[in-house]
Amino acid sequence: IILKLLWSQKMPGFELIGKEEIDEINHLFNESSILFRHSFDHLRNGIFKVNDFENAFSKRMNIPHSLGVTSGTAALRVALAALELEPDDEVITQSFTFVATVEAIIESRAVPVITNIDKTLNMDPDDLVKKITKKTKAIIVVHMLGVPCRLREIKKITDDNGILLIEDTAWGCGGFYEKKPLGTYGDIGTYSFDFAKTITTGEGGMVVFKEKSLYEKAAAWHDHGHENNPKLPRWEDSRSGSGFNYRMNEMQGAVGLAQLKKLDYVVERQRENGEIIKNILARYPIELRDVPDMSYETYDALVFFVSDNNVAIKCRKNLIDNGIGTKILPEAITWHFAGTWTHMPELGNGLEKKFLKSKQLLDRSVSIPISVNMADNFDKSIKSALDKVFL
Ligand SMILES: *Cc1c(COP(=O)(O)O)cnc(C)c1O
């Protein structure tokens, strides 16, 4: 059962690592062997894998600027660095997300402000309006488990208030909203290529920008302030401020180039599998998660609401017994729901009571994990697991 479960939990990008990634790595080692993204021009035979990955990503996402970084968490931190925040500036995000989104705000010395979610399980635009103050500098929305947030309504709110919109697209890479690639609807988009995401470089991330000036600030900050001035050698490079080191390396860039070519295939297969599961769910007295109009989901998982937490736990138990399992909901809530993050003093006291609307929704949610290669007969397994709960 455990082996079966691990198989069913296998993630897409990881499932498809194969010859294409190995060929890219071999090309890097055979033709260059320089593993650093900058310099060593006389030794690298014109090979710049991170740069190529960034350009290919920009092309796929139809956005002018992409910056490879070391993780999705780093991507959020680097995105916020471009805003040059002051210590009591506020950044708003949603109660249902991975801890990383809030950690990046705290690391940026800004004040994290958290909204409730609605039935999309993403940011509730009505609550967002209530949480905006004069100090709000940016909003980070999250497309949790591959469903776009209410981008149209939220972008109107950020535009009306002159606030920057950042999309944490860790789960949404390859999805669209109103025909725009997720991550490119707002001002800045961030992506994760960790081992559990749609495409992977082992660890890694990307930040995309519409505006050149934001890209340039972020690029310098992620590289100790280096402006990579073409007129100067790197050791004499110009700088306008300090920064940090979140540089992606050439091995990650090489793997990323191969994985990016598989992105559309991954999403298409997940969508097919998701539709099969959706048809099964039509038999039961459940309610599907809301999906905003004009969404093209990545179907990372399919979430439905049941009547209460007891029923959700029962679904989980039966899905595990049948080798399917669940993803985050209802079990891994402590890593993904801000109402439980009492280990972060930055979020203030009384957290448990702050996001009751979110908690009520999450408590009765069940999430079925979707991958490219689902377990054999996964449709029958899901059906028999849920028949036992509902019929
Ligand atoms: C995975 C994830 C991240 C962080 O990405 P890493 O590459 O693991 O650092 C950030 N935000 C969300 C919503 C995530 O799911």
Side-chain angles (χ1 to χ4, degrees):
I1 291 273
I2 290 194
L3 271 180
K4 239 173 143 187
L5 190 63
L6 281 176
W7 171 250
S8 74
Q9 296 278 13
K10 261 194 170 183
M11 304 318 300
F14 162 54
E15 291 177 271
L16 299 179
I17 286 180
K19 185 176 178 309
E20 298 77 8
E21 287 75 8
I22 293 166
D23 286 349
E24 277 291 349
I25 287 285
N26 281 337
H27 181 244
L28 172 65
F29 279 84
N30 292 337
E31 306 294 325
S32 153
S33 82
I34 298 301
L35 306 182
F36 187 53
R37 70 165 297 165
H38 294 295
S39 312
F40 303 95
D41 288 16
H42 59 299
L43 295 173
R44 66 192 306 152
N45 211 4
I47 291 169
F48 291 89
K49 294 292 185 190
V50 175
N51 201 56
D52 289 352
F53 182 31
E54 288 168 345
N55 288 337
F57 203 83
S58 287
K59 198 165 168 220
R60 166 63 180 77
M61 297 303 167
N62 194 23
I63 189 129
H65 310 285
S66 296
L67 180 67
V69 292
T70 47
S71 71
T73 313
L76 289 159
R77 177 66 191 92
V78 169
L80 290 171
L83 313 192
E84 301 177 318
L85 298 169
E86 301 288 334
D88 60 351
D89 285 344
E90 294 170 3
V91 176
I92 304 180
T93 190
Q94 63 197 49
S95 60
F96 182 45
T97 182
F98 182 52
V99 281
T101 321
V102 173
E103 286 169 337
I105 299 171
I106 293 171
E107 269 297 298
S108 309
R109 285 179 285 175
V111 179
V113 176
I114 313 283
T115 74
N116 266 309
I117 51 170
D118 62 18
K119 280 189 176 175
T120 62
L121 298 185
N122 291 323
M123 186 176 282
D124 176 357
D126 296 335
D127 199 33
L128 170 61
V129 171
K130 291 182 205 151
K131 300 256 155 92
I132 290 175
T133 72
K134 284 201 185 75
K135 291 182 179 165
T136 309
K137 289 288 148 56
I139 312 289
I140 307 178
V141 293
V142 190
H143 309 300
M144 275 305 272
L145 294 163
V147 170
C149 70
R150 297 193 190 281
L151 273 170
R152 172 182 284 269
E153 287 142 278
I154 291 170
K155 184 158 171 21
K156 179 162 190 325
I157 297 166
T158 54
D159 284 351
D160 288 351
N161 288 276
I163 299 168
L164 233 91
L165 178 56
I166 301 173
E167 294 171 68
D168 179 342
T169 320
W171 298 103
C173 186
F176 296 83
Y177 177 77
E178 292 182 349
K179 305 209 164 140
K180 291 197 177 73
L182 289 180
T184 69
Y185 196 87
D187 301 285
I188 303 180
T190 68
Y191 302 81
S192 164
F193 308 130
D194 82 21
F195 218 51
K197 299 290 158 66
T198 320
I199 55 173
T200 185
T201 56
E203 296 276 5
M206 192 72 80
V207 198
V208 301
F209 306 83
K210 281 197 184 121
E211 252 185 61
K212 191 172 180 201
S213 62
L214 290 174
Y215 162 74
E216 284 175 342
K217 276 181 204 156
W221 192 87
H222 106 295
D223 186 15
H224 303 295
H226 271 284
E227 293 175 332
N228 286 294
N229 190 326
K231 293 196 203 90
L232 299 169
R234 194 168 154 84
W235 60 91
E236 289 172 9
D237 199 2
S238 58
R239 73 199 85 137
S240 311
S242 78
F244 217 73
N245 175 5
Y246 286 115
R247 289 182 305 254
M248 180 177 265
N249 72 49
E250 291 288 281
M251 294 178 284
Q252 292 168 305
V255 173
L257 274 168
Q259 284 269 299
L260 183 62
K261 293 189 183 130
K262 302 178 179 180
L263 175 62
D264 291 332
Y265 173 76
V266 170
V267 173
E268 278 161 29
R269 288 296 305 275
Q270 290 186 163
R271 287 176 61 86
E272 283 166 24
N273 291 334
E275 285 302 319
I276 292 170
I277 300 171
K278 216 166 157 181
N279 284 333
I280 298 169
L281 293 180
R283 301 155 47 86
Y284 307 114
I286 52 107
E287 185 186 354
L288 288 176
R289 171 186 188 181
D290 275 358
V291 178
D293 290 342
M294 299 288 285
S295 291
Y296 184 89
E297 306 166 57
T298 63
Y299 273 99
D300 185 87
L302 191 60
V303 185
F304 58 94
F305 303 117
V306 297
S307 54
D308 60 47
N309 190 243
N310 288 335
V311 179
I313 302 279
K314 236 187 247 169
C315 291
R316 167 170 158 72
K317 188 189 171 300
N318 288 351
L319 286 165
I320 288 176
D321 287 349
N322 279 14
I324 298 292
T326 51
K327 183 167 181 176
I328 297 181
L329 298 166
E331 77 280 10
I333 201 77
T334 56
W335 284 98
H336 298 90
F337 174 48
T340 65
W341 297 341
T342 49
H343 67 297
M344 294 182 176
E346 293 85 354
L347 293 183
N349 297 325
L351 266 191
E352 297 87 340
K353 297 212 176 78
K354 268 188 188 162
F355 313 109
L356 288 181
K357 182 184 167 192
S358 307
K359 183 162 185 346
Q360 279 159 11
L361 281 169
L362 295 171
D363 270 350
R364 59 188 189 90
S365 295
V366 180
S367 164
I368 299 184
I370 297 174
S371 51
V372 171
N373 302 311
M374 299 289 286
D376 288 342
N377 297 320
F378 71 96
D379 47 345
K380 291 195 187 76
S381 304
I382 293 171
K383 201 159 152 273
S384 90
L386 297 180
D387 276 358
K388 279 183 230 150
V389 181
F390 294 111
L391 301 186

